[in-house]
Amino acid sequence: MPATRNTTTGGAGDTRRAAAVGKGARGVIATLRDAHGAAATKVFGKARTVFGPVTTPVELAHDLAVRGTYNTLGAALDATGDLVRPAAEVVAQQTPSRVVRKRAVSVAAFVQGFTGDRLADIDLPISYPMTLRRSGYDVPVTKTGLANAYPEAASNIVVFVHGFVGTEQMWKRRASRDDEGRRLSYGRRLEAHGDWSALWVRYNTGQRVSTNGRDLGRLLARLVARWPVPVDRVVLVGHSMGGLVVHSSLLQAAPGAPWAGLVTDTITLGTPYHGALLEKGVNLVAGRLTEHTATRWAGDLLSFRSQGIKDLRHGNLVEADWKGYDPDDPNDHRSSERRHHHPIRHLAVVGMIAPQPMAWWGRPFGDGMVSRSSAAGLGGDTWAVEYVGGVNHLDLLNDPRVFNVIARRLEVEPLPMSAANH
């Protein structure tokens, strides 16, 4: 067996996961309760101006009924963990189908993205620590675990880091299959056409980018020290938030760190170095909503999003980028300039929904999630930028044209033009 199963998918992990989701749901219910209260106060206030004191008993009865409803719902959620425990133990003894497992993982990744920082604080399995993955399994970062997972280990390593609310499975998006039925991701293609071993990580995208960057550095340090053969070269590839995590790991690496000294290249795909369009918009809307009593509930609901999401507004990489700042302040328009102290080549791949990547009208929209200027990197002599037209943010995960950009950078045989243009 190449690796070990993820032990957080069954048994006690299922029970704790259910309790964690219940806790998150109760937080949302509390926000909805406040929303209901704000709306009711406004309605009864207007009614009082028309009907006078007769409105008061109706309002009191309404408040009593609503309070009881929300309290009952909250208590039911608290009891869900106790009710689901026997069922979870029974289900854990069964082998779920591959489709069920994939859907469960996708749901868990979504929950992590929005509340993963809170889940990590209470140390629940669903928070999912930075983990090495291959073929649907956890890979123990030990000499034996790595040797079993990589019996033909190469001296050149390429590490793929997914983006927000993702898992390593996202790199297989819309993938064709090889003769053995495996879906062809960028990593599999590099292994087939060059002297490379591809590695994928999974992590909790709701945590701060600086936390995940630190954890990635620690994982890479163990990986390089225990790899089956001496490592000559490491390349880090990140999609979206994953690119921020990659650069965060390098910026936090100690000068002279062995693993960092082996990194020759970073390749990022649609990474919001200067902020993501959606997070900037959500921050602005949330700020406006919280200014008014009647809509404050909606602003509070939007503000409930994780610190990992909020890091996307400015492209935060290290603690100094966020410490001492209010992540919800809509008037914070700062932009940080950063430079690596490691001699590494950096390539920023910028997707454009416009068929012609340099079309003026496509600049602010970029790949639909990240603008062209934000995805173009941090600048400097060690940076290069490649533009790919006619692709959106998710297309960057697995597109023949994007693979050929990566292949040229790593001096690997590219795909035929007929395949790269489909």
Side-chain angles (χ1 to χ4, degrees):
M1 182 178 292
T4 60
R5 289 186 181 275
N6 175 8
T7 57
T8 67
T9 59
D14 286 336
T15 305
R16 288 190 291 268
R17 182 178 294 109
V21 173
K23 183 180 179 68
R26 182 151 192 174
V28 173
I29 286 171
T31 303
L32 293 176
R33 178 199 60 209
D34 294 342
H36 191 147
T41 298
K42 186 173 183 179
V43 170
F44 281 114
K46 289 184 176 180
R48 192 175 292 105
T49 62
V50 177
F51 299 107
V54 71
T55 305
T56 300
V58 178
E59 183 177 6
L60 291 174
H62 167 272
D63 289 347
L64 183 61
V66 167
R67 188 178 303 112
T69 298
Y70 281 114
N71 288 342
T72 300
L73 185 54
L77 284 171
D78 286 341
T80 297
D82 294 331
L83 293 174
V84 80
R85 185 172 292 109
E89 291 173 353
V90 172
V91 171
Q93 296 173 4
Q94 311 300 319
T95 302
S97 70
R98 186 177 183 86
V99 172
V100 170
R101 290 200 305 271
K102 287 175 61 178
R103 289 178 179 174
V105 167
S106 297
V107 170
F110 185 84
V111 172
Q112 287 172 357
F114 285 90
T115 64
D117 52 342
R118 298 174 180 87
L119 295 174
D121 287 342
I122 55 179
D123 194 27
L124 287 174
I126 196 175
S127 66
Y128 212 95
M130 181 76 65
T131 306
L132 189 64
R133 302 277 294 175
R134 186 173 178 87
S135 301
Y137 296 96
D138 289 349
V139 178
V141 188
T142 62
K143 290 185 177 181
T144 301
L146 293 169
N148 289 339
Y150 293 88
E152 299 179 358
S155 58
N156 298 322
I157 296 173
V158 55
V159 182
F160 292 89
V161 186
H162 63 77
F164 177 62
V165 297
T167 71
E168 76 287 349
Q169 296 298 320
M170 294 188 73
W171 295 102
K172 300 177 182 179
R173 184 175 185 269
R174 297 179 179 176
S176 57
R177 296 181 182 272
D178 62 14
D179 294 338
E180 298 178 3
R182 296 179 304 185
R183 287 188 291 172
L184 290 169
S185 61
Y186 296 147
R188 293 294 187 186
R189 291 188 185 278
L190 289 173
E191 288 183 334
H193 297 283
D195 183 24
W196 291 91
S197 285
L199 299 88
W200 296 267
V201 299
R202 183 188 293 182
Y203 65 100
N204 177 354
T205 61
Q207 292 189 122
R208 285 201 175 275
V209 167
S210 56
T211 298
N212 284 320
R214 182 195 63 220
D215 291 345
L216 177 59
R218 291 173 176 173
L219 184 146
L220 292 172
R222 299 197 309 272
L223 175 71
V224 167
R226 300 165 186 175
W227 192 244
V229 299
V231 178
D232 292 333
R233 183 181 183 187
V234 176
V235 172
L236 305 178
V237 181
H239 173 254
S240 194
M241 175 188 277
L244 297 180
V245 173
V246 162
H247 284 280
S248 175
S249 70
L250 290 168
L251 287 169
Q252 295 184 79
W259 73 267
L262 294 170
V263 178
T264 61
D265 296 82
T266 69
I267 302 174
T268 54
L269 317 174
T271 291
Y273 291 101
H274 304 289
L277 296 173
L278 183 58
E279 171 54 20
K280 289 183 176 182
V282 170
N283 174 269
L284 181 62
V285 170
R288 295 295 178 263
L289 290 173
T290 55
E291 293 175 355
H292 307 284
T293 303
T295 58
R296 186 170 296 127
W297 65 271
D300 290 342
L301 187 61
L302 291 177
S303 297
F304 189 74
R305 64 197 189 280
S306 68
Q307 297 299 330
I309 299 178
K310 295 178 181 181
D311 277 339
L312 295 176
R313 181 180 167 208
H314 296 290
N316 293 340
L317 296 177
V318 295
E319 183 177 328
D321 294 337
W322 55 263
K323 191 171 185 179
Y325 295 96
D326 179 2
D328 298 316
D329 180 5
N331 297 314
D332 182 2
H333 303 296
R334 61 193 162 84
S335 178
S336 301
E337 294 296 328
R338 310 174 184 89
R339 292 291 183 270
H340 289 291
H341 50 263
H342 301 282
I344 299 170
R345 298 190 308 169
H346 305 291
L347 172 63
V349 181
V350 181
M352 300 288 292
I353 56 177
Q356 299 300 323
M358 304 310 290
W360 65 270
W361 63 268
R363 292 182 181 180
F365 301 105
D367 60 22
M369 294 292 289
V370 182
S371 68
R372 196 175 89 175
S373 60
S374 184
L378 298 176
D381 297 337
T382 60
W383 282 83
V385 184
E386 289 271 0
Y387 300 93
V388 181
V391 299
N392 62 39
H393 192 65
L394 292 180
D395 289 339
L396 290 167
L397 283 160
N398 199 344
D399 184 278
R401 292 167 296 170
V402 176
F403 172 76
N404 279 355
V405 172
I406 297 172
R408 287 194 297 270
R409 189 69 164 183
L410 303 186
E411 299 178 345
V412 171
E413 178 185 354
L415 296 172
M417 289 304 294
S418 58
N421 291 326
H422 83 269

